[in-house]
Amino acid sequence: MQWLLFAVSSLILLGAPSSAFAPTAISGHGALSSPSGLACPPLSSSTHLHAFAPSLDDVATLASSTLSLATTTSSLLEGTLDSALSSSLDVASGILTNENVKVAFSVATFFPQLPWLFLILLPNAGVTKKLLGGYEIVTLCCLVHFFIVSASIAQPDGSAPIAEFADVFDPAGDPQKAMIGMMQYPNFVSEEWSHVLTWDLFVGRWIWLDGMKRGIFTPHSVLLTNLIGPPGLLLHWLTCILTGKGLPGNEATSLDEEED
């Protein structure tokens, strides 16, 4: 604030016309001329100092005005920032609600089913390759899950307490009982459900891509992945072996060989 007062004061002083503090000309030996051309009596050195310098009252008035201006500006800025922050919080609180978590739960459940149908029924169709060849659909599922997590955290009792979550990873306790206890929290169930469905789709997509790359039949494996997850991947491994294609090699080593 002090540097602001100093800067504004300096600008006002520098911008003020010279006639405000001094006569317009000097004539004779120390005589001054007024703007009307009338000669003024000679001035002593002390008189010169007073003529060219503002009075203490002027400086005090200027400082007071500057301080008032700076205080008003600061209040306006604080009010604007507080208003913007309050509006943002109101918008966020209206979006991150338990009701919207329920909506996101339904989206996480039903949205991925269409991609699954394409992977299972039309694995080699061009539309399937366009829809699932990239990561757009999987990313959308991740965003739905992220919304559920964010909205749950914003609620006072929206998800399972951290202490209970830690009990799941306590080998000296009863992790299964702790997990069952956490299922009493609706938003935790929503988070875990969307979590599982998103990764199932990611793995099912990978099985489909591996099948296209190496000419392996995958609809049965993809379907099982959608139904119960990891066993679908095991079925794909079994299919690879029975068809003589073998398991996929070490992808990291393959990348090194390609670079060489």
Side-chain angles (χ1 to χ4, degrees):
M1 182 65 71
Q2 292 180 348
W3 67 266
L4 178 61
L5 294 177
F6 176 78
V8 175
S9 301
S10 300
L11 288 175
I12 294 177
L13 289 174
L14 291 175
S18 59
S19 59
F21 303 108
T24 58
I26 300 177
S27 60
H29 298 287
L32 302 179
S33 296
S34 67
S36 61
L38 299 177
C40 297
L43 301 176
S44 64
S45 59
S46 61
T47 305
H48 278 286
L49 292 176
H50 288 291
F52 283 91
S55 67
L56 292 178
D57 291 340
D58 293 336
V59 173
T61 301
L62 179 60
S64 176
S65 299
T66 303
L67 177 60
S68 177
L69 176 61
T71 302
T72 302
T73 303
S74 176
S75 298
L76 289 174
L77 288 175
E78 290 178 2
T80 301
L81 292 175
D82 290 342
S83 177
L85 179 59
S86 177
S87 299
S88 299
L89 291 176
D90 290 341
V91 172
S93 62
I95 295 175
L96 303 176
T97 64
N98 288 328
E99 191 62 32
N100 285 337
V101 170
K102 292 181 180 179
V103 175
F105 179 89
S106 296
V107 173
T109 301
F110 298 109
F111 172 73
Q113 301 314 312
L114 183 61
W116 280 114
L117 290 177
F118 281 103
L119 291 175
I120 296 167
L121 301 177
L122 301 169
N124 297 314
V127 63
T128 305
K129 295 176 183 178
K130 289 181 180 180
L131 284 175
L132 292 152
Y135 290 96
E136 292 83 2
I137 290 181
V138 174
T139 301
L140 287 175
C141 294
C142 291
L143 290 174
V144 173
H145 174 263
F146 180 73
F147 171 80
I148 292 174
V149 172
S150 301
S152 298
I153 293 174
Q155 307 306 317
D157 56 349
S159 190
I162 297 299
E164 293 186 32
F165 187 74
D167 290 340
V168 177
F169 298 93
D170 182 8
D174 189 344
Q176 184 187 50
K177 182 179 179 181
M179 190 68 178
I180 293 173
M182 293 174 68
M183 290 300 176
Q184 66 180 302
Y185 301 97
N187 287 355
F188 179 78
V189 174
S190 300
E191 183 277 327
E192 286 298 300
W193 180 240
S194 60
H195 179 163
V196 170
L197 293 181
T198 299
W199 289 138
D200 282 353
L201 181 60
F202 184 86
V203 175
R205 175 185 173 275
W206 183 89
I207 292 173
W208 166 70
L209 288 173
D210 185 57
M212 286 200 305
K213 181 180 179 181
R214 300 198 292 146
I216 303 170
F217 184 77
T218 60
H220 63 307
S221 302
V222 173
L223 174 61
L224 191 61
T225 301
N226 184 25
L227 295 176
I228 53 177
L233 182 60
L234 295 177
L235 181 58
H236 179 61
W237 295 152
L238 180 61
T239 304
C240 292
I241 295 173
L242 293 178
T243 57
K245 300 293 184 177
L247 298 178
N250 188 316
E251 296 182 13
T253 303
S254 299
L255 291 174
D256 292 337
E257 292 175 353
E258 290 177 3
E259 292 178 359
D260 294 338

